[in-house]
Amino acid sequence: MKICITSKSNESDSDIEPRFGRAPYFIMANTETGEFETKENPASSATGGAGIQAAQEVAKIQADVLITGNVGPNAYDVLSTAGIEVVTTSGVSVKEAIEQYNKGTLEKVSGPTAKAHAGMGRGQGRGGRK
Amino acid sequence: MIGSSKLVQTTPAVDMITTETPNMKITVASGKGGTGKTTVAVNFFLSVPKTSLLDCDVEEPNSNLFLHNDLEKVKEVTIPVPVIDEQKCEHCGKCADFCNYNALAALPQKVMVFSDLCHGCGGCSLVCPNDAISETGRNIGNIERSFSGQFHTGLLNIGEAMASPLIKELKNYAGENTVIMDAPPGTACPMITTVEDTDYCILVTEPTPFGLNDLKLAAEVVREMKIPAGVVINRAGVGDGGVEEYCQQTGLPIIMEIPYDRRIAEAYSEGIPFVETMPQWKDKFLQMFETIKEAVR
């Protein structure tokens, strides 16, 4: 099984990134081989629709599970259409998040956990107003 | 109340209009909101004969609060958004790669369309190798006009983000006369769409540090667009001399000052353009029109 975790940096002991669409990195953990792979999130600096593009990337790398802090409505639509299980956690490292998931202490979400644009920083993401 | 009756243009008291008036496109813009764009646009329109007015502030059009026209809908504006034919689609993902606004998500078994994010460029259907993308119209708002046809306004749907396509469509209703366009505030796409391809831009500001800060932004935009501009200082007498100093330094002409006057504020609060209660101001707007004509010539 492949687990994708949003991460603040490209190390498996770094903290998870609570924002999904604008997460700087995705870390993929393969539960069968115990291997880690990192990938930059191409959507992290998108002018708009970051969650959509990020979700498309997670589907492209064929993750079965996504562990993140929050997902917005558009990202959730894409992830659920792609059949990816979404679980949320906070304040832990990437490794700890995987342990939590394996122990079964993380709950699967059944809908968006944040409003659209919740992960935008100041001055970012106004690309919709064109 | 005078404000409840319809206002029409009247013949000016003085004969200042030259016979062969060139038909110009004049925008009334500002960086800062609430400086008096609509006040200037409406009073200018009522003072200068043979002009039309377009309210391009389609997110919150308010010119008609002062004109009291009955309006009729003339057009429903749509933008083209993609429809995917899943029978033809091979899920190559080229459409989603092309879209700069992430309005498409290409999944291994399905392409999802997020119409709200689509800017209607049509690029996805061009890059699709399987001809699987057709287009359908998505309504973004309407264009309404007064029965005289001298006034048009755009009205963007509530919650809609795509103001620019509606403004572009609205500008097609400019007609043959000189047209005055009330622009949206700020310096983002809707303002630029309004100012684009016009002959002159009136920048309305207030003489405060806030007004100055946003005037600078707007002035830089019109300078970049190579559109001649002049400044109207509204509520002159409040604040400081920063705006005048800036105009002097940059060679931006101040073409009118509207004083901070209780009578103007009272007329405004009742929905009455102040040229109706203080008709001597019509001459000042006509003078400003002459100044603009000179600058455009």
Side-chain angles (χ1 to χ4, degrees):
Chain A
M1 187 173 62
K2 257 180 156 178
I3 304 176
C4 176
I5 308 103
T6 54
S7 172
K8 286 189 190 296
S9 83
N10 58 359
E11 305 286 340
S12 61
D13 54 2
S14 84
D15 288 343
I16 72 148
E17 167 62 48
R19 301 170 305 165
F20 170 59
R22 302 205 176 267
Y25 292 94
F26 295 136
I27 295 187
M28 278 82 69
N30 188 322
T31 53
E32 276 106 60
T33 63
E35 279 171 3
F36 288 96
E37 230 181 297
T38 61
K39 188 176 169 37
E40 272 186 53
N41 173 14
S44 65
S45 59
T47 49
I52 295 167
Q53 198 190 354
Q56 185 184 275
E57 284 303 307
V58 176
K60 206 183 272 177
I61 55 182
Q62 296 177 323
D64 303 290
V65 179
L66 168 72
I67 306 178
T68 187
N70 281 298
V71 284
N74 288 344
Y76 184 80
D77 266 4
V78 178
L79 292 164
S80 61
T81 304
I84 297 163
E85 182 184 336
V86 182
V87 294
T88 57
T89 186
S90 63
V92 293
S93 73
V94 169
K95 273 186 177 164
E96 286 164 347
I98 296 166
E99 281 164 23
Q100 285 180 331
Y101 179 77
N102 287 337
K103 277 188 209 152
T105 57
L106 297 184
E107 239 175 89
K108 187 180 168 181
V109 302
S110 54
T113 63
K115 285 184 185 166
H117 303 161
M120 281 185 338
R122 284 170 62 96
Q124 277 187 12
R126 296 296 301 270
R129 296 275 308 256
K130 291 278 157 77
Chain B
M1 191 179 99
I2 311 171
S4 61
S5 64
K6 266 182 254 174
L7 293 169
V8 290
Q9 290 172 330
T10 49
T11 319
V14 286
D15 184 21
M16 290 173 84
I17 307 298
T18 48
T19 43
E20 70 281 26
T21 305
N23 294 329
M24 296 184 290
K25 292 187 173 118
I26 303 167
T27 41
V28 183
S30 75
K32 187 179 174 300
T35 56
K37 282 181 300 300
T38 300
T39 299
V40 169
V42 167
N43 285 292
F44 189 31
F45 165 65
L46 292 172
S47 303
V48 184
K50 287 189 193 165
T51 52
S52 311
L53 179 66
L54 298 182
D55 194 344
C56 295
D57 188 3
V58 299
E59 285 179 75
E60 44 245 317
N62 59 349
S63 294
N64 202 40
L65 293 179
F66 302 94
L67 295 170
H68 313 282
N69 285 309
D70 293 325
L71 299 177
E72 57 176 347
K73 184 160 82 180
V74 287
K75 184 158 189 173
E76 287 185 9
V77 179
T78 59
I79 59 166
V81 294
V83 179
I84 314 290
D85 183 346
E86 286 289 343
Q87 303 297 316
K88 290 185 186 171
C89 177
E90 289 178 351
H91 308 100
C92 66
K94 283 186 179 151
C95 53
D97 287 346
F98 179 83
C99 184
N100 206 17
Y101 302 102
N102 295 319
L104 292 157
L107 298 175
Q109 279 86 37
K110 188 177 162 59
V111 175
M112 297 172 75
V113 178
F114 293 86
S115 300
D116 292 357
L117 300 180
C118 175
H119 285 54
C121 75
C124 53
S125 62
L126 292 177
V127 298
C128 177
N130 299 306
D131 201 20
I133 302 178
S134 56
E135 285 173 344
T136 186
R138 184 173 74 81
N139 176 251
I140 54 167
N142 299 321
I143 292 172
E144 298 178 342
R145 74 162 175 211
S146 63
F147 292 109
S148 71
Q150 274 183 309
F151 171 68
H152 285 81
T153 180
L155 189 60
L156 193 68
N157 291 345
I158 290 168
E160 176 58 57
M162 302 296 158
S164 297
L166 178 57
I167 295 168
K168 263 187 198 153
E169 189 64 40
L170 175 61
K171 285 172 76 175
N172 292 334
Y173 289 83
E176 296 301 309
N177 291 335
T178 283
V179 61
I180 298 157
M181 296 185 232
D182 190 3
T187 51
C189 299
M191 178 268 194
I192 290 170
T193 305
T194 307
V195 175
E196 206 170 30
D197 298 321
T198 58
D199 302 300
Y200 194 89
C201 184
I202 300 171
L203 296 169
V204 185
T205 189
E206 56 178 32
T208 64
F210 304 109
L212 174 60
N213 182 75
D214 292 357
L215 170 68
K216 283 180 184 170
L217 298 173
E220 278 172 40
V221 168
V222 294
R223 203 174 297 142
E224 185 76 23
M225 295 175 82
K226 298 190 169 46
I227 291 168
V231 172
V232 170
I233 301 180
N234 190 20
R235 294 193 275 275
V238 302
D240 56 28
V243 167
E244 279 163 328
E245 210 172 289
Y246 171 75
C247 289
Q248 228 161 34
Q249 281 166 3
T250 56
L252 201 56
I254 296 170
I255 56 173
M256 185 188 269
E257 291 192 25
I258 301 169
Y260 188 55
D261 185 325
R262 189 181 175 91
R263 288 171 299 171
I264 294 175
E266 276 174 0
Y268 178 87
S269 72
E270 288 174 36
I272 306 165
F274 69 87
V275 293
E276 300 299 323
T277 53
M278 301 156 79
Q280 67 274 23
W281 273 91
K282 288 196 175 182
D283 294 346
K284 296 193 182 177
F285 278 101
L286 283 166
Q287 275 165 18
M288 182 174 84
F289 186 54
E290 292 300 319
T291 308
I292 292 170
K293 271 200 277 186
E294 280 302 312
V296 170
R297 193 165 287 160

